[in-house]
Amino acid sequence: MSDYDVDLFVIGGGSGGVRAARVAAQHGARVMVAEEYRVGGTCVIRGCVPKKLLVYASRFRGEFEDAAGYGWSVPQWSFDWPTLIANKDKEIARLEAAYTMTLGKAGVTIVKQRAVVADSHTVQLADGKRVRTATVLIATGGAPTYGDPIPGIEHAISSNEAFHLPRLPQHVLIQGGGYIALEFAGIFAGLGSNVTVIYRGDNILRGFDDEVRHHVRVDMEKRGVKVITGCTVTAIEKNGGRLFARFSNGFQHTADCVMFATGRAPNVDRLGLKEAGVAIANNGGVAVDEYSRSSVPSIYAVGDVTNRVNLTPVAVREGHAFADTVFGGKPTAVDHSKVPTAVFSDPEVGAIGLTEGRARQRFARTDIYRAMFRPLKAALSGRDTTVLVKLVVDGMTDRVAGCHIVGEGAAEMVQMAAVAVTMGATKADFDATMALHPTTSEELVTLRTRTASYVRQAAE
Ligand SMILES: Cc1cc2nc3c(=O)[nH]c(=O)nc-3n(C[C@H](O)[C@H](O)[C@H](O)COP(=O)(O)OP(=O)(O)OC[C@H]3O[C@@H](n4cnc5c(N)ncnc54)[C@H](O)[C@@H]3O)c2cc1C
């Protein structure tokens, strides 16, 4: 070890890198982290956290609207975008400082510059310095992509810029049907923008349960967001501060802001990975084994740069497992099979486990239990909305293989349901659980009647 300047060099101070660095240092390793932008990474600086703050801001509109049915008269409300952005930035700066302090307290050295791999045991810093290290951890995350090139794409923004717009746009066009597209649709619509979502596929939220996808779309449209599917933006022109987007169906659309949320790609370019012999997987990320080790034994990778499941808790878990494996003497693999996920759109989605479609491919028999109902809160507010609660059950073992909820509080409910699903709870276990009344989540334990049962057809 003494041949090296450090035991671990982490490239990237985001969710995965920070956790790995701190835990490795606590295991006694000499650790250095390079961060080229801001400590905290995507989640803290321009992902989950600022996004959720904007989501909270956007949801006040619904509360103000719903208040009247409960006897409140709310004076004419108004919203100020610069105040929200300034307060959000203050909180992000506070979090960045907290992350930096935590790393410092653990004895980790932070270098605020870009770093690349020079060889299997050397990292090259932007200032020209070279650091010799026993182990390298690539934790460089991902970045927004814009899909196939189209004329005028330079006029479009990604989620990165959406957090720093100088003013709230009046008319927003969002291309994309994934969680980032829909969350920003909800944010802008809630804050008062006129929002259109355009997506090339047949329905939004690809990969989610089909009923969830349908439910979200219908409810979003009720809230005034226009959703166009089977269509893409083919060109953007700018004229006098306004943007004119041409669609593949021949229509034209005018907006103040065009946002592309068309996916993210792992940050693997110009990192010296190819030269060092690090293999890239078919998914475009660094190829790793279950311990996050790459094809080069001294180089590991965690988080979005591996393109496994691109979520913060997964990056954190991978970073922790890496540190325990390499520096804690406790080889730890991460189970990616049951990852709860949320879409903080309006309406909100929470999901864990298999969709109905996947289950029907996998199980000899799949049982579906579903409830769709008007939430109690809507009784007095008069809001036209429904909640969807759905359990997907392996009909042969009675295990709950999937839990899907659309409606207020869906993410919070699914985080708790995820404990049961991860433990392998059966439908009978759900039934045996006493309901907590009156709540939305009590539906999870009172779904007595099977909605459908499917037997897998034998392959021809
Ligand atoms: C808008 C948005 C909303 C999201 N919402 C959620 C959510 O609600 N829940 C959730 O779980 N996940 C969410 N995510 C995903 C989540 O942010 C990522 O999965 C997570 O941040 C991945 O962590 P990471 O450590 O792999 O990478 P990152 O957090 O991206 O960190 C990588 C870091 O490496 C730095 N870096 C890159 N290259 C170099 C280099 N060569 N030298 C030095 N530094 C470098 C980058 O500047 C960055 O700070 C969201 C993402 C976005 C974009």
Side-chain angles (χ1 to χ4, degrees), residues 12 14-16 35-36 41-42 48 51 114-115 139 141 179 264 303-304 312-313:
S15 307
E35 171 51 56
E36 67 177 349
T42 304
C48 335
K51 180 266 310 274
R114 186 172 169 78
Y179 81 95
R264 294 174 62 82
D304 286 10
T312 288

Side-chain angles (χ1 to χ4, degrees), residues 250-323:
F251 282 87
Q252 186 164 307
H253 188 92
T254 310
D256 315 303
C257 172
V258 177
M259 175 174 164
F260 270 45
T262 38
R264 294 174 62 82
N267 277 331
V268 291
D269 292 341
R270 300 187 315 281
L271 273 182
L273 298 179
K274 208 170 132 202
E275 297 75 2
V278 175
I280 300 298
N282 288 339
N283 67 11
V286 176
V288 288
D289 66 12
E290 73 264 44
Y291 299 108
S292 296
R293 184 190 285 239
S294 80
S295 55
V296 176
S298 60
I299 301 182
Y300 289 72
V302 295
D304 286 10
V305 74
T306 64
N307 215 358
R308 288 178 278 187
V309 179
N310 295 340
L311 291 170
T312 288
V314 179
V316 167
R317 190 60 78 88
E318 289 168 0
H320 202 125
F322 153 80

Side-chain angles (χ1 to χ4, degrees), residues 207-220:
F208 282 80
D209 188 273
D210 282 342
E211 280 185 292
V212 167
R213 301 169 74 188
H214 176 74
H215 199 99
V216 172
R217 179 174 184 164
V218 170
D219 216 276
M220 261 177 61

Side-chain angles (χ1 to χ4, degrees), residues 410-449:
E412 302 286 348
M413 288 184 255
V414 164
Q415 175 66 90
M416 292 320 296
V419 178
V421 174
T422 305
M423 290 175 72
T426 59
K427 178 66 172 57
D429 292 324
F430 274 63
D431 294 345
T433 305
M434 188 68 80
L436 197 163
H437 184 71
T439 60
T440 297
S441 47
E442 70 182 301
E443 293 292 330
L444 286 171
V445 298
T446 54
L447 286 167
R448 291 288 182 270
T449 313

